[in-house]
Amino acid sequence: MSGGFQGESSDTITPRLQRAELYVAQGRNEEALAEIDRGLADQPGEPRLLQMRGWLLLQLGCHREATELLRGLLGARPDMHHARAVLAEALRLQKDIAGAEEAILACLDEEPGVAEYHLNYAAVLADSSGRGRAGRRARKLALERIGTALELGHDDPDALRWAAQLVWQLGDPRRAKELAETGLAIAPEHPRLHVLHADLTAALTEPTSRYDTVSRPAALVREMSRVLAADPQHRGARRALFTELWSQRMLLIDAPLSLLAVLAVTAGASFGAAGTPATLLTGAGIALMIAVFRLVGYAIVAARADRGFRRQLGGASGLDLLRRVLSGFAWCAAVAGMIALPLVRDAVIVRWLIVALGAAALAGLAASLIWQAGFPGRARTVGGYDEDGDSLHRLREHRSTLTTRIALRILASLLFLFLGLFALAGRQDAIPVIWVCIGALLMPPVIGLLIVRRTETATRRGLPAGVDAPQGYRPPRAPGFIWASLTGAGAIAALVLGAAALPVLPNEHDADGVYVLEYPEPSGERDRCGGRPASRLACQLDRIRERIESTRLPPTPSVPSIPEVPDIPDFSELGDLGGHDIPGNRTGADADTGTDAGE
């Protein structure tokens, strides 16, 4: 911390210290160091200036140089306990926990009533806390020290800010935000408290749902814009605002590529034998939902930012104008595809619509590549990036974001490949557009990652001599480069193969004529045929054959043969039986008169 410097007052030293502290509050540590160096040129060896210089070197990441300077100062002035506390901080940042604890305990033995010393010791304990019983004990002791410091410095905004940072580090962001708000109530114009409060507000913003990716970025942009409005030279706020808005604009430029991929899958799967209007409407509806989500999300986040800052970020060069034209064409083509696909039925028009989707994907890719290529220049001119530890840390965070984006887009590409299988039964000439969209989705984040790695390497090499990388920083490694290169090679292959196979020339689908897409009957029987004329004719012939087979008469059952009846003998050859009739037998006369033969 820069306050509480010891030594005799001097009319020439005090103004320099005040100007240096003002620069520090604005995040301009390099200018503060230059101010102190000018004071040391006038008064070499002045203890207060040396102490301030050691603290500034610590903020700039020059841990070893700061340690050497402070050790030399304490050798000449062992009574400067505040310089010893700064030395403890330098040792802590170099992972020398034992040395840092020894130095800060010496300060507490001499001056136990200084809140800053208790916070410094709490920071040492927080760094030494981990898992297990020892870690829990160190965390408990750190919280006790923070409580003691708050009792001693309850009205000191710097003490409240440091206490809030430590409480957040120990896992209680709500309590940390309360401490930051208390500090702002005491010092409403404290820039570093404003930045900390903005970070805490964004971290505590709860998403409205598991799919909400807007609330936290919007809160961060709103809070950082407030800090920047109060202090336009504040580098921390400018860098945070630039990083967030850059990512949001990148997603907006790349959004049409996903829409075009969805429309290409829809066109390929719908205009086939199994195509129905429901397939077209479902694909167009999904594309519309993605478009609305992205446009509304960007509008919500960007509306919280300063309009002038957004204009600076967008740029006004010739390449920026070309990027806007290409991106606008991709968006317009996607919207036109959503409207046209459910309405168009002519095979030739469908082919040209597929070609337009592929051309729009290539235009969207070009716009996204232009945007990624402008990152190094805008990071310096708009974001305020420089050769310092904070810039290096933010570049590393941006690199991590792009790596995550590549992984997510690989999963999305696999999904599009799977859905593209449904186009094999319909318009196969829509498959090249899917390949183009996959390559266009993967290429921009890969190129952006390579550009950020190069910028990060240049920033690390440009650090002043003796400046160490920020705590927790991990430089780019070879496996990440290899993985990104392989992904980029796959994206280039997909782009080349897809662009070469776009159906610009007439193909066999032009003979399909007019597509007929109908809903199936409610009974579930698939009696109606759709798709291309040849497919419809074959389907109709199959249906006719099925009907004929179902209505054919059953075969005639076989009747068993009746055996022959034997001949009845002829009794007429027996002659007259002596006038006696056979009983029961009557002659013709008797039959006529109805009398008995015995009468």
Side-chain angles (χ1 to χ4, degrees):
M1 309 222 7
S2 58
F5 292 101
Q6 301 169 349
E8 299 82 2
S9 60
S10 172
D11 293 337
T12 59
I13 296 174
T14 301
R16 289 191 182 278
L17 290 174
Q18 292 175 346
R19 283 195 296 271
E21 291 181 351
L22 180 61
Y23 286 137
V24 169
Q26 296 175 347
R28 300 156 64 184
N29 293 330
E30 296 87 350
E31 297 178 41
L33 183 61
E35 182 68 28
I36 295 299
D37 286 342
R38 286 192 291 270
L40 287 171
D42 295 337
Q43 293 179 298
E46 214 293 325
R48 295 174 64 195
L49 293 176
L50 288 174
Q51 180 177 290
M52 183 63 169
R53 190 175 195 278
W55 184 83
L56 287 171
L57 289 172
L58 193 63
Q59 303 306 307
L60 291 171
C62 303
H63 301 156
R64 289 188 295 271
E65 186 179 353
T67 301
E68 294 174 1
L69 186 149
L70 292 168
R71 287 188 188 278
L73 177 60
L74 288 170
R77 294 286 302 273
D79 60 325
M80 297 188 67
H81 304 303
H82 191 86
R84 194 177 302 278
V86 178
L87 175 62
E89 181 73 4
L91 294 173
R92 179 182 70 86
L93 292 175
Q94 296 177 76
K95 304 299 183 183
D96 185 1
I97 301 299
E101 187 173 8
E102 180 183 357
I104 195 61
L105 286 177
C107 295
L108 286 170
D109 290 340
E110 295 294 333
E111 294 182 300
V114 178
E116 183 179 339
Y117 298 165
H118 289 277
L119 290 173
N120 200 324
Y121 189 31
V124 173
L125 293 170
D127 279 5
S128 62
S129 65
R131 297 181 180 180
R133 183 179 300 177
R136 290 193 296 270
R137 181 175 178 274
R139 184 179 183 277
K140 181 180 179 181
L141 291 175
L143 291 174
E144 291 177 357
R145 290 290 177 174
I146 293 172
T148 303
L150 291 175
E151 292 177 0
L152 296 171
H154 58 86
D155 57 349
D156 183 358
D158 287 322
L160 288 167
R161 181 187 62 82
W162 199 357
Q165 286 179 329
L166 292 172
V167 170
W168 190 10
Q169 179 183 347
L170 292 171
D172 191 356
R174 297 191 181 279
R175 173 59 177 158
K177 185 180 178 182
E178 293 175 0
L179 292 174
E181 290 173 347
T182 303
L184 287 173
I186 298 172
E189 303 300 326
H190 198 293
R192 303 181 76 183
L193 268 173
H194 274 291
V195 174
L196 177 61
H197 183 267
D199 290 334
L200 287 165
T201 301
L204 289 171
T205 301
E206 295 293 337
T208 57
S209 69
R210 60 183 300 182
Y211 304 105
D212 181 11
T213 59
V214 175
S215 296
R216 284 185 177 176
L220 178 64
V221 169
R222 181 185 65 245
E223 297 298 326
M224 290 301 174
S225 295
R226 291 175 179 174
V227 175
L228 203 60
D231 183 8
Q233 300 299 323
H234 197 286
R235 288 187 179 179
R238 179 173 289 274
R239 291 171 179 176
L241 196 59
F242 168 80
T243 303
E244 188 59 48
L245 288 179
W246 179 274
S247 298
Q248 292 293 325
R249 183 70 67 90
M250 177 184 68
L251 295 178
L252 180 68
I253 295 173
D254 292 349
L257 301 174
S258 299
L259 308 181
L260 296 168
V262 172
L263 294 175
V265 171
T266 303
S270 299
F271 297 108
T276 64
T279 309
L280 285 172
L281 294 176
T282 301
I286 292 174
L288 179 62
M289 181 179 63
I290 297 173
V292 171
F293 176 78
R294 179 48 53 203
L295 288 171
V296 172
Y298 177 77
I300 292 174
V301 175
R304 270 70 174 174
D306 179 71
R307 184 177 300 178
F309 190 88
R310 294 202 311 267
R311 283 198 299 266
Q312 290 180 1
L313 184 66
S317 64
L319 278 178
D320 295 322
L321 178 60
L322 177 62
R323 171 181 53 80
R324 292 188 180 94
V325 171
L326 293 173
S327 181
F329 171 70
W331 271 104
C332 291
V335 174
M338 297 178 210
I339 299 172
L341 271 181
L343 303 177
V344 172
R345 295 294 182 271
D346 184 79
V348 177
I349 297 178
V350 171
R351 177 171 64 82
W352 282 112
L353 183 59
I354 291 173
V355 173
L357 295 178
L362 293 174
L365 170 64
S368 186
L369 292 178
I370 293 173
W371 178 252
Q372 296 292 346
F375 177 81
R378 283 190 175 83
R380 289 185 174 275
T381 58
V382 181
Y385 282 54
D386 205 347
E387 282 82 9
D388 55 57
D390 182 68
S391 297
L392 202 60
H393 182 70
R394 294 186 184 275
L395 287 171
R396 182 244 175 213
E397 290 182 345
H398 188 52
R399 170 165 52 90
S400 177
T401 301
L402 288 173
T403 303
T404 304
R405 190 66 55 189
I406 292 173
L408 293 176
R409 293 192 181 186
I410 289 176
L411 296 177
S413 300
L414 295 176
L415 177 61
F416 286 133
L417 285 176
F418 172 75
L419 295 176
L421 297 176
F422 293 96
L424 295 176
R427 300 244 356 177
Q428 295 90 351
D429 53 356
I431 296 178
V433 180
I434 300 175
W435 283 104
V436 170
C437 292
I438 288 174
L441 277 171
L442 293 175
M443 183 60 67
V446 170
I447 296 299
L449 180 62
L450 296 177
I451 291 174
V452 171
R453 286 174 63 96
R454 182 178 179 182
T455 305
E456 192 174 349
T457 301
T459 302
R460 192 170 68 253
R461 291 176 179 174
L463 291 176
V467 176
D468 300 326
Q471 191 175 12
Y473 171 75
R474 296 180 62 184
R477 298 184 179 180
F481 175 78
I482 295 173
W483 180 65
S485 300
L486 292 176
T487 305
I492 292 174
L495 283 169
V496 172
L497 294 176
L502 287 177
V504 179
L505 300 177
N507 56 24
E508 68 276 9
H509 294 285
D510 290 355
D512 293 348
V514 178
Y515 295 103
V516 177
L517 304 180
E518 298 178 344
Y519 289 101
E521 291 185 358
S523 62
E525 298 180 0
R526 306 177 70 177
D527 293 336
R528 296 187 179 184
C529 299
R532 295 174 289 179
S535 301
R536 294 201 305 271
L537 179 59
C539 177
Q540 290 167 0
L541 291 175
D542 290 340
R543 296 289 183 264
I544 293 172
R545 186 173 62 255
E546 292 174 0
R547 291 192 186 97
I548 292 174
E549 292 176 354
S550 63
T551 58
R552 183 179 296 169
L553 293 176
T556 304
S558 60
V559 180
S561 61
I562 302 175
E564 294 183 0
V565 180
D567 294 338
I568 301 175
D570 187 5
F571 293 99
S572 62
E573 297 178 355
L574 298 177
D576 190 6
L577 295 178
H580 296 282
D581 292 334
I582 298 173
N585 187 25
R586 296 186 179 188
T587 63
D590 294 336
D592 292 338
T593 59
T595 61
D596 257 350
E599 294 181 356

